[in-house]
Amino acid sequence: MADRRRIVVKVNGIQYERDVVPRMLLVDFLREDLELTGTHVGCEHGICGACTVLLNDKPVRSCLMFAVQANGAEIMTIEALAKDGKLHPLQEAFRDHHGCNADSARRGCS
């Protein structure tokens, strides 16, 4: 069994405790463990910005950060912008324009 680490994070106002492998990327943790798929994997080099989340109110590229590095942090994803079941204008723009550019789409932004 792979070595695992316990992390505690608050994501979009909800606290989560999970055991993760030390090399799990934050973007994979958000998408796979928490099923918050609004954070996208685009270029996997931190260039396209599709994986950007707010970590303690500062933007970070979640494809360049391990989930264990977020231990104790507050994270906000794009999902947090919706209010009362209505999409935020930024979310509408992502939906209307497919949320990524042509280069990142070829690399698997979905």
Side-chain angles (χ1 to χ4, degrees):
M1 182 170 156
D3 184 31
R4 298 181 80 75
R5 303 276 191 256
R6 168 76 50 167
I7 65 169
V8 179
V9 292
K10 186 178 273 189
V11 181
N12 301 334
I14 301 170
Q15 184 165 309
Y16 298 91
E17 287 188 45
R18 297 287 193 278
D19 291 326
V20 298
V21 294
R23 297 198 51 85
M24 175 179 252
L25 294 173
L26 181 57
V27 69
D28 295 329
F29 173 73
L30 294 170
R31 290 182 61 82
E32 296 170 15
D33 284 36
L34 303 186
E35 298 181 3
L36 296 171
T37 57
T39 303
H40 291 277
V41 178
C43 67
E44 297 184 73
H45 298 285
I47 297 168
C48 75
C51 68
T52 302
V53 297
L54 295 180
L55 181 88
N56 296 329
D57 296 320
K58 294 184 178 155
V60 298
R61 304 291 202 252
S62 61
C63 75
L64 299 178
M65 182 175 185
F66 296 119
V68 294
Q69 291 175 291
N71 188 33
E74 288 194 35
I75 300 167
M76 184 179 0
T77 69
I78 192 77
E79 286 91 348
L81 296 179
K83 298 292 182 217
D84 301 320
K86 183 174 171 15
L87 293 179
H88 183 276
L90 182 61
Q91 292 170 306
E92 289 177 349
F94 269 86
R95 180 199 60 211
D96 295 345
H97 300 284
H98 308 293
C100 53
N101 64 39
D103 287 334
S104 59
R106 282 193 295 273
R107 291 186 200 104
C109 181
S110 60

